Amino acid sequence: MTEQTLLSAKDKATVKAFWAKISSSGEAIGADALSRMLVVYPQTKTYFSHWKDMSPGSAPVKKHGATVMGGVAEAVAKIDDLTAGLLSLSELHAFTLRVDPANFKILSHNILVVLAIMFPTDFTPEVHVAMDKFLAAVARALSEKYR
Amino acid sequence: MVKWSDFERAAIQDIFSKIDYDVVGRAAFSRCLIVYPWTQRYFGSFGNLYNAAAITSNPKVAAHGKVIMAGLEKALTNMDDIKTTYKDLSVLHSEKLQVDPDNFNVKLFSFYCLTIVVAGQMGAAFTPEVQGAFQKFLAVVVASLRKQYH
């Protein structure tokens, strides 16, 4: 089963339209989502022990939040074939970073929390379900190369 | 026995004092039915759940949102012994309603939808630390609901 069968045309259109509205806030979204993940799910801090400062809003958190959202932006652009589009990112996560894929769900949840806070009127239930499905599809594509 | 820090107690009380139970209950329960449509399984008697618009305007959905919030308020007023407070509710969910307990956990109503709706209501006041306290409260609620399943 390929990614294409899991996101409907409507899902993709919803994600692209919402992304167009929010992409300029990408860095802020990433920084806040990552901050929340590190505070609310402290076990995730184990991946960042090389950072001097893991506190919300710190420089490494901001920088990495921007990196992560850059990946999400790429996923939106390649939404019609996430597996192929995110191939090198999948290899990075599988072989170099070795992030336990369970953590993708955790980060996705925190991204959705931030979207609810930053875009209360635009983050409707319809957008919520499309974004939830999209982030799950991204997580799946990132897990492709793990084994 | 769950230990609550002063910060956690204050944060959780503050959230519940600020949110509109009717609005939040209805919005969170609607999102659960929309974002995780298999949960509709338990609400066959609710009438039209055909699409998001039908769900958000369904009066039975709104009424049930209130029921859920009332349940959470019980936990709020008995924070030091949610397990005992929830004994009958747990039995209800397992024996009478036969809800798969995975539905309370992880992704669904408790953790994700309610957290997301409360975040939207509270805005920037829902800091990472407040989110942590709220999710811990929900985790205790979920564990207590699961307690009487055999």
Side-chain angles (χ1 to χ4, degrees), chain B residues 9 12 35 58 60 77 89 113 115 142:
Chain B
R9 264 182 220 277
I12 293 160
V35 180
N58 185 316
K60 288 190 173 177
T77 49
L89 268 174
C113 286
T115 304
V142 162

Side-chain angles (χ1 to χ4, degrees), chain A residues 19 23 26 66-79 86 134 138:
Chain A
W19 183 256
S23 57
T67 303
V68 168
M69 290 313 280
V72 173
E74 209 181 315
V76 174
K78 298 184 179 163
I79 202 168
L86 300 180
F134 168 66
V138 170

Side-chain angles (χ1 to χ4, degrees), chain A residues 11-119:
Chain A
D11 292 329
K12 292 182 198 177
T14 305
V15 169
K16 283 193 218 177
F18 184 61
W19 183 256
K21 282 187 192 168
I22 71 173
S23 57
S24 57
S25 305
E27 291 186 10
I29 295 168
D32 196 4
L34 208 58
S35 299
R36 285 169 192 278
M37 186 186 80
L38 296 167
V39 167
V40 181
Y41 301 88
Q43 71 272 19
T44 58
K45 293 199 283 194
T46 55
Y47 290 95
F48 306 103
S49 49
H50 55 284
W51 285 356
K52 283 201 182 93
D53 187 354
M54 282 192 261
S55 58
S58 66
V61 168
K62 274 186 176 166
K63 182 164 177 260
H64 196 62
T67 303
V68 168
M69 290 313 280
V72 173
E74 209 181 315
V76 174
K78 298 184 179 163
I79 202 168
D80 291 315
D81 192 350
L82 288 170
T83 308
L86 300 180
L87 189 65
S88 51
L89 274 174
S90 180
E91 285 172 350
L92 175 73
H93 284 75
F95 305 131
T96 310
L97 303 176
R98 285 180 288 202
V99 175
D100 186 331
N103 292 304
F104 298 148
K105 256 189 271 227
I106 291 175
L107 181 57
S108 297
H109 166 62
N110 285 295
I111 290 173
L112 295 177
V113 168
V114 172
L115 295 178
I117 292 173
M118 288 178 71
F119 308 99

Side-chain angles (χ1 to χ4, degrees), chain A residues 133-147:
Chain A
K133 288 176 74 173
F134 168 66
L135 290 173
V138 170
R140 254 190 319 271
L142 284 176
S143 310
E144 280 280 325
K145 287 309 207 179
Y146 271 66
R147 55 179 173 168

